[in-house]
Amino acid sequence: MAAGRVPDGTGPTRFRERFLQGEAVDQGVRPSILGSWQRCRSLGLSPDQSDLPFHEDFEADGRIVRAAVPVLDRLQSLFSGSQVNISVADADGTVLLRRFGEESLAHRLPAIQRVPGFVFAEQHAGTNGIGLALAERQLIRVYGAEHFAERSQANACVALPVRDPLSGRIEGVLCFGYPRGFENPALGDVIRRAARAMERRLLGQSSARERALLRAYLATDAQTAAAGGRGGRATAGGALDLPAGDRAVLMEKAAELISHAQRAAVDVHLPGGRRVTLVSRPMTSASGVEGVAIEAVLPGLSPAEPLVVPGREAELPGLPAEPPAVAAAVSRLARLAVAPGAGSVAPGAGSVAPGAGSVALAAPDGGGADGDGVTAHGPDGVANGSPGPQPPARELVLLGEPQVGAYALAARRRLELLSEASARIGTTLDVRRTAEELAETAVPRLADYVTVDLPDAVLRGEEAADPVGDLCRTVVHGIRDDLPFTPVGKRPGFGPTAPQRRSLTSGQAVLEPDLTSAAGWLAQDPEYAGQLLAHVHSLIAVPLVARGVVLGVVSFYRAQEPVPFGDDDRSLAQELAGRAALSIDNARRYTHERAMVLALQRRLLPHGLPEQETVEVAHRYLPAEADVGGDWYDVIPLSGARTGLLVGDVVGHGMLSAATMGRLRTAARSFAELDFPPDEVLVHLDNLVGRLDREDPDGEGAGIIGATCLYVIYDPTAQRCVMARAGHPPPALVRPDGKVVYPDLPAGPPLGLGGLPFDAVEVDLPEDSQLVLFTDGLIEDRHRDVDVVLDQLRGTLAHHPERTPEDTCQAILDAVAPAHPCDDIALLVARTHALDPGRIATWELPADPALVGDVRASALRRLADWGLDEAAFAAELILSELVTNAIRHGAGPIRVRLLYERTLICEVSDSSNTAPHLRRAASTDEGGRGLFLVAQLSRTWGTRYLPQGKAIWAECGLDGV
C-alpha cells in the first residue's frame, strides 16, 4: 500500500492500525505523519478521545482576526455550496474563526467542528491539520486515516501557518477542512494566496500604527513650535546628508535605540573624527500606539526654523484631517526613514539620498556623558532635569515601534552572523575543528549551547553506513561548562521520537520552541531531559547534509534568552549548518585522501630495521598537518660490515609524491646494494628522476618531479664514513666528547636537473659518535630562521653523548620540530660502533698459486680461534676458489680479509677491474664451476669496486655455530 493518500482519499488505514498495534510502519507512512503519530503515542493520547480543551476567553478581535475576516469572507463566497469549512486558529491552536461553504454545515457538524474556542494543538487533538501545521511550521495535508483521532477519519484537510511579515513569527493557522472525497490539488494554491492576503493585511496594520506614530510626532512638535518651545528642525544640510556608509551607521544605531524603547542620547562616532548625537524620544499616539522617534541633533541652526526638506510633496493616505500646522509639515516631509520592514509610510516619499559633504556635530551643551557615551536627558531636551542653554536644532532620522526595531536589529545581526560564519567556519581541513568552529560561531549570537554529533566514520574521513546509530558526541560548547549534556566521546542515544532523530530522517531542521511540551524529546530519556530542562527551554535540531551525504546533526539550545527559537532562528540555524556541512564534508574528504596517502607512505617506508652490530639506529617520521609529502629514510646493510644510511625528500605533497617516494626509495636501495659509492648512487637517482619527468603523462613539465637526497656509508673497520648529498641539508655529527659539527659537504644539485656532478666527502667517525640525518621539514618553517633552528639543533645535541638514539630522536622532536609542521619530517639517528680488531684477519700475498694452501691454513687457524669450526669447511672452499680466481684472472697484489660480525665475511681483492660472472658449466667443461660453488656455499656474494681494483666477497651464515 503506498504511503500517504490512496486513490479513494481514505489514507493509509492499514498502516495506522498496524501502528496502533505496536508494529513498525517506517516504510508505509509519510515521515511527518509518522512523527506526529509517535508524538501522540508518547503523550498518551487515545484515538477514541473526543473532548478537546475549550477557551471561552479567546481574543475575538486580535490582529490575526482583523486580518482574516475579509479574506475568510471571500473564501466563503469562493466555496459557496460546497462542504468545505474554513477556520483560523491562533499560534496556540485555538480556533478563532469559522466559515462554511454550505450554511447547513454550521448546524449539522459537532460543536468542536463549528464553534470557535476549541484547541486543536497536536498535544490535545492528536494528528490534525492545525496541530501539524504548527508542529511542522509549513504547509501540510492530512488525509482520512492519517488523523490520529477516530472522529476525523472521514475528513481531510490542508493547513498553512500565517506569519507576521515583520517578525516572521507565526500568528495563526489557516485551515480548509473537507470530506475525503473532495480532494483537489488546487486547494494548495488557494490556501497559499489566502495566507499571503492575510499577511499583507497584518503588514497594513503595522503601517497604520506607524502612521499613527508619525501623526503624534508631528502634532507634538507643531504644538511645541507654536508655543515657542524647542521644537525646531534642521534644513537639508542636516545629519542625513552624509555619505552612504555614515548613514548606514546612523540608521543601524537608530534601529537599536528604537528596540530599547528608552529615552537616551547616544554619540555616534563617524570616520574622520566626526560625531553625531542621536536622541530617542518615546511617544504614544492618541490611539495608544507606543513608539520611539530618533532625532539627530544639529548645531548652528535656529530652533524656530521650520522643517523644510527638499522633495516632492506627498500625502499620507488614510489620515484624518490634521491641524493646519501639522498638515503643512506632513505635506513637505519627504526624507522620513521608517524602521526596516515596517512598510511604506508615505507613498512617493523620497528615501535618504547620499549627501555630497559631511558634517561634524557635537553633543548638546549641558549634556553629561553616562557610561559609554550615552547622555541622559529629561523631557524637552533638559539634561538631567535642569534647565540648560538653548539646544541645537534636530532632524528626524527614524520612527518606529520597539518590537519592529528589535526585529530589524535581529535581522541585521543574523546577516552579520552569516557573514562572520563564512570567515570562521572551515579555516582548517580538520573535521573535529570545523565542528567546533560551527559551535563557537553560534554561541552566544544564536544559541546558548550547541552540541554536534558526528558518526565515527565521518571523523575517520569515511561515509557513515549508519549515520543515526553510529553517532558520537563530537562537540559540546556553551556559555557554561556544567550542564548535563552527553559528554564528548559518548554516544547520545537519540530515540525514534527525538528531534535530532527526526531531523536526520527527514533531512530538515526540527524546531521545538518549548521543550517542556516536546513529547518526542521528553520521551527518549525522561530523567536526562528533566535535568536539562532546568537549564534550557528551546531547541533546534539540524541535520548536517552535504552533497547528499548525511554527516551528523547539530543541536542549538537556548537557555538565557527568554524568547524561544522561532522560524527565523530555524532558517538561520539551517543556513549555518549547511555552510558548516560543506566545510565538514571537505574536511572529511581531505581526511580520507590524507589517510590513504599516509597509509601508502607508511607502507612504502621501512617496517623494521635490519639487524647489524656496527650501527645503533632510531628513526621518526612525522607527516605534515596539512598534507602528506614524500620524505623517506632507509638503513641498508652493505658488504664488508658496512652500513648505508639514506634520507630523501620528494618535492610536493599528496599521492603523487608518496608514490614517487616509493619508486625512488626502491631504486636507491637497489643502487646501494650494488655497492656503488654515494656519489654514483646519486648520479643514478638523478638519471631516474629525469626519466620519470620525461615519462610524465601530463607532458610539458606539468608534473615536474624533484627530490633531494643524502647518502652516508659507514665503515666500522676503518671508523670512517663517506657521504654525498643532492640539494639536501647536511647531517649533524655528534662527537663522543659532545661536540656537534655540520660537515663541510658540497650541496650538489637536487635530483632531476641532470648533467651536474655530485661530490663525496670522507669523514672520520670515532666509535660512539652519532650521525643525525633529517629532511628539511625539521628546520625549515616560514616562521623561523634556518640558521637559528640549526643552532637550536646543535644545542639540543651537544653535551649528551651518552644519550641513546631513541632518546636523541625524542629530544630533537621536542625541542626543534615545529609545533604544527607544514612539511613532512623524516629523522634518522645512528650511533656508530667499531668492529673489534680481534675479529678482523688480513693477509696480503703475491699472485702465486703455491700460496693458496698457506692462506687456507691461516684462515682455518683464525676460525678455530673464533670458535667457528663448523663454518670452516665452507669458508675454506670459498677462500680457495676466490683466491685462485684472483691469481688466475686478476692482478697482484692480492689481499684476503675475514670479518667476523653477525656472519662470516670472506673478501679477496686485487688490482684488476674485471669482474667475474657466474655461469653454469656444462658436464663436458673442465672449469667454470668455482663461482657456482661460492654461490651455493654462501648466503650471498658480490663484487665491490675499489679506488684501485675490486673485491669479491661472500657471506657465510653462522646459524649452526
Side-chain angles (χ1 to χ4, degrees):
M1 193 172 192
R5 183 174 60 89
V6 294
D8 64 354
T10 60
T13 306
R14 288 193 301 150
F15 290 110
R16 177 176 174 276
E17 296 302 323
R18 288 169 51 190
F19 174 81
L20 294 176
Q21 293 172 11
E23 298 182 27
V25 293
D26 294 356
Q27 303 300 321
V29 184
R30 289 185 291 155
S32 60
I33 299 296
L34 180 59
S36 179
W37 288 356
Q38 291 172 336
R39 292 192 295 272
C40 293
R41 182 165 59 186
S42 66
L43 287 167
L45 297 180
S46 170
D48 301 326
Q49 181 179 347
S50 59
D51 56 330
L52 295 177
F54 180 76
H55 294 166
E56 294 182 355
D57 57 345
F58 64 88
E59 190 175 7
D61 192 31
R63 293 186 67 213
I64 187 67
V65 172
R66 295 197 303 273
V69 167
V71 178
L72 264 62
D73 290 342
R74 292 196 297 272
L75 288 173
Q76 185 176 20
S77 175
L78 175 66
F79 292 116
S80 177
S82 71
Q83 296 187 10
V84 175
N85 66 86
I86 309 153
S87 58
V88 172
D90 63 14
D92 295 324
T94 303
V95 175
L96 307 176
L97 293 171
R98 285 198 179 275
R99 293 287 191 276
F100 304 95
E102 185 179 314
E103 290 295 336
S104 61
L105 291 175
H107 306 287
R108 298 202 315 263
L109 293 175
I112 62 173
Q113 295 185 17
R114 59 182 174 83
V115 178
F118 285 97
V119 181
F120 280 83
E122 187 182 66
Q123 60 265 34
H124 302 296
T127 307
N128 71 92
I130 293 173
L132 192 54
L134 289 172
E136 297 288 330
R137 310 178 78 84
Q138 61 184 342
L139 175 70
I140 62 95
R141 296 176 184 266
V142 182
Y143 305 104
E146 288 184 332
H147 290 87
F148 190 76
E150 295 286 352
R151 64 176 179 270
S152 304
Q153 297 296 294
N155 299 323
C157 61
V158 56
L160 180 65
V162 178
R163 289 177 167 84
D164 185 329
L166 296 180
S167 66
R169 184 179 58 207
I170 292 179
E171 293 288 334
V173 177
L174 175 62
C175 181
F176 296 165
Y178 45 87
R180 62 192 183 193
F182 185 80
E183 173 62 26
N184 190 323
L187 288 176
D189 294 334
V190 173
I191 199 170
R192 286 190 181 93
R193 290 199 299 271
R196 283 198 294 268
M198 294 171 62
E199 290 171 350
R200 285 195 298 270
R201 292 187 59 82
L202 287 172
L203 181 61
Q205 293 179 26
S206 298
S207 300
R209 296 168 69 88
E210 295 289 349
R211 289 196 295 270
L213 284 175
L214 174 61
R215 183 167 58 245
Y217 175 83
L218 295 174
T220 302
D221 206 70
Q223 292 171 3
T224 304
R230 306 168 184 263
R233 290 288 179 273
T235 61
L240 297 183
D241 283 333
L242 295 172
D246 296 347
R247 282 202 317 278
V249 173
L250 287 181
M251 298 299 286
E252 180 176 357
K253 192 62 180 178
E256 184 176 350
L257 289 174
I258 289 177
S259 67
H260 292 161
Q262 296 177 350
R263 183 184 297 274
V266 177
D267 290 337
V268 181
H269 296 273
L270 301 175
R274 294 169 294 123
R275 184 178 61 182
V276 173
T277 301
L278 294 181
V279 179
S280 63
R281 292 175 52 190
M283 56 191 307
T284 304
S285 72
S287 60
V289 178
E290 296 182 352
V292 178
I294 307 298
E295 299 171 322
V297 178
L298 306 175
L301 294 173
S302 171
E305 293 185 18
L307 174 61
V308 180
V309 182
R312 69 184 184 86
E313 296 184 352
E315 296 289 339
L316 289 176
L319 291 181
E322 301 283 2
V326 178
V330 171
S331 65
R332 289 190 295 269
L333 183 62
R335 297 170 64 89
L336 178 63
V338 182
S344 175
V345 172
S351 60
V352 180
S358 60
V359 292
L361 303 179
D365 295 335
D370 181 13
D372 56 350
V374 178
T375 306
H377 289 264
D380 300 324
V382 178
N384 300 323
S386 302
Q390 185 74 18
R394 294 160 291 143
E395 180 174 327
L396 183 62
V397 176
L398 204 60
L399 181 70
E401 295 181 83
Q403 296 87 351
V404 177
Y407 297 146
L409 188 63
R412 187 158 38 247
R413 287 176 176 171
R414 288 187 182 100
L415 292 176
E416 292 173 353
L417 180 58
L418 288 176
S419 176
E420 181 181 339
S422 300
R424 291 188 60 181
I425 300 176
T427 60
T428 68
L429 287 172
D430 180 80
V431 174
R432 193 180 301 274
R433 179 57 194 152
T434 304
E436 291 173 352
E437 289 170 345
L438 167 61
E440 292 167 359
T441 302
V443 175
R445 305 273 291 277
L446 172 61
D448 296 314
Y449 299 93
V450 173
T451 63
V452 183
D453 303 296
L454 303 177
D456 290 330
V458 172
L459 294 173
R460 296 193 303 267
E462 305 168 3
E463 291 188 13
D466 182 11
V468 177
D470 193 30
L471 284 177
C472 177
R473 180 58 48 87
T474 305
V475 175
V476 177
H477 181 69
I479 56 177
R480 288 169 50 191
D481 299 329
D482 57 346
L483 263 66
F485 288 107
T486 302
V488 173
K490 303 294 184 180
R491 300 200 177 278
F494 298 123
T497 60
Q500 291 87 348
R501 184 74 169 265
R502 286 154 45 203
S503 71
L504 286 170
T505 304
S506 65
Q508 300 295 324
V510 173
L511 169 62
E512 292 289 358
D514 183 7
L515 285 176
T516 59
S517 60
W521 186 75
L522 293 169
Q524 62 173 337
D525 190 342
E527 182 180 355
Y528 166 76
Q531 295 174 358
L532 206 54
L533 273 179
H535 305 279
V536 300
H537 59 75
S538 192
L539 164 68
I540 302 175
V542 188
L544 294 168
V545 182
R547 303 180 181 96
V549 178
V550 178
L551 303 171
V553 64
V554 55
S555 303
F556 301 89
Y557 294 90
R558 185 163 283 177
Q560 291 186 336
E561 178 66 40
V563 179
F565 284 126
D567 287 290
D568 287 343
D569 298 311
R570 177 173 64 173
S571 300
L572 177 60
Q574 195 152 7
E575 179 68 21
L576 283 176
R579 298 187 182 194
L582 285 175
S583 297
I584 290 175
D585 190 51
N586 289 338
R588 178 191 66 82
R589 290 166 176 256
Y590 165 77
T591 301
H592 179 67
E593 180 178 345
R594 185 176 185 273
M596 292 177 59
V597 176
L598 187 58
L600 174 63
Q601 173 86 327
R602 294 194 182 279
R603 188 67 180 172
L604 295 175
L605 288 173
H607 292 172
L609 298 179
E611 295 182 5
Q612 35 77 41
E613 297 178 354
T614 58
V615 175
E616 183 184 352
V617 180
H619 57 88
R620 294 288 190 278
Y621 171 73
L622 269 67
E625 283 192 352
D627 206 350
V628 180
D631 292 17
W632 87 90
Y633 60 88
D634 210 344
V635 178
I636 308 168
L638 300 176
S639 63
R642 299 171 307 144
T643 302
L645 304 174
L646 190 65
V647 171
D649 182 6
V650 176
V651 175
H653 298 85
M655 188 72 73
L656 176 61
S657 295
T660 303
M661 177 276 291
R663 301 173 72 176
L664 290 185
R665 175 181 170 256
T666 302
R669 188 178 186 91
S670 300
F671 295 144
E673 289 179 343
L674 290 174
D675 275 324
F676 291 138
D679 51 339
E680 290 190 28
V681 169
L682 296 182
V683 169
H684 289 295
L685 288 177
D686 183 52
N687 293 334
L688 174 62
V689 173
R691 186 164 61 253
L692 293 177
D693 265 341
R694 291 190 296 272
E695 295 173 355
D696 178 16
D698 295 334
E700 308 231 345
I704 291 179
I705 299 171
T708 64
C709 186
L710 169 65
Y711 183 33
V712 178
I713 298 178
Y714 170 65
D715 187 349
T717 62
Q719 299 183 37
R720 293 177 64 83
C721 70
V722 182
M723 61 182 71
R725 61 178 177 139
H728 200 87
L733 177 61
V734 185
R735 301 287 186 184
D737 59 0
K739 182 179 179 181
V740 180
V741 298
Y742 296 105
D744 186 11
L745 180 62
L751 301 176
L753 295 183
L756 299 176
F758 300 94
D759 296 320
V761 172
E762 287 192 12
V763 178
D764 290 328
L765 210 59
E767 187 172 13
D768 289 330
S769 298
Q770 285 195 10
L771 269 173
V772 180
L773 289 73
F774 50 87
T775 55
D776 57 2
L778 178 68
I779 60 173
E780 292 184 5
D781 185 82
R782 60 178 177 270
H783 303 297
R784 305 186 299 174
D785 183 81
V786 173
D787 293 333
V788 173
V789 179
L790 288 175
D791 289 340
Q792 188 178 3
L793 176 61
R794 187 195 306 271
T796 303
L797 296 174
H799 311 300
H800 295 284
E802 76 287 350
R803 222 164 23 192
T804 66
E806 284 288 342
D807 293 338
T808 301
C809 279
Q810 195 59 48
I812 292 173
L813 294 183
D814 292 341
V816 182
H820 304 282
C822 56
D823 194 7
D824 290 16
I825 297 175
L827 178 63
L828 189 63
V829 177
R831 180 192 293 277
T832 63
H833 299 292
L835 187 61
D836 184 357
R839 292 192 169 197
I840 304 173
T842 305
W843 300 273
E844 290 191 6
L845 62 153
D848 184 357
L851 299 177
V852 175
D854 296 338
V855 172
R856 288 202 304 264
S858 299
L860 290 175
R861 286 193 297 272
R862 182 56 61 92
L863 293 177
D865 295 339
W866 290 341
L868 302 179
D869 294 328
E870 294 190 13
F873 175 74
E876 181 183 10
L877 288 178
I878 289 173
L879 283 176
S880 178
E881 291 296 334
L882 294 181
V883 172
T884 301
N885 280 343
I887 293 174
R888 288 184 176 180
H889 307 290
I894 296 171
R895 186 168 179 260
V896 178
R897 188 170 69 161
L898 292 180
L899 303 177
Y900 176 26
E901 194 201 19
R902 294 175 300 104
T903 60
L904 178 64
I905 302 172
C906 305
E907 288 186 356
V908 177
S909 59
D910 64 84
S911 58
S912 171
N913 289 324
T914 59
H917 298 282
L918 178 65
R919 68 184 183 88
R920 195 173 292 273
S923 58
T924 57
D925 291 342
E926 294 183 0
R929 295 179 177 84
L931 286 181
F932 180 76
L933 290 175
V934 170
Q936 294 298 313
L937 294 172
S938 64
R939 301 173 77 180
T940 182
W941 71 281
T943 303
R944 180 174 73 252
Y945 287 94
L946 307 174
Q948 292 84 29
K950 65 178 184 300
I952 312 298
W953 57 270
E955 184 177 311
C956 300
L958 302 178
D959 298 337
V961 178

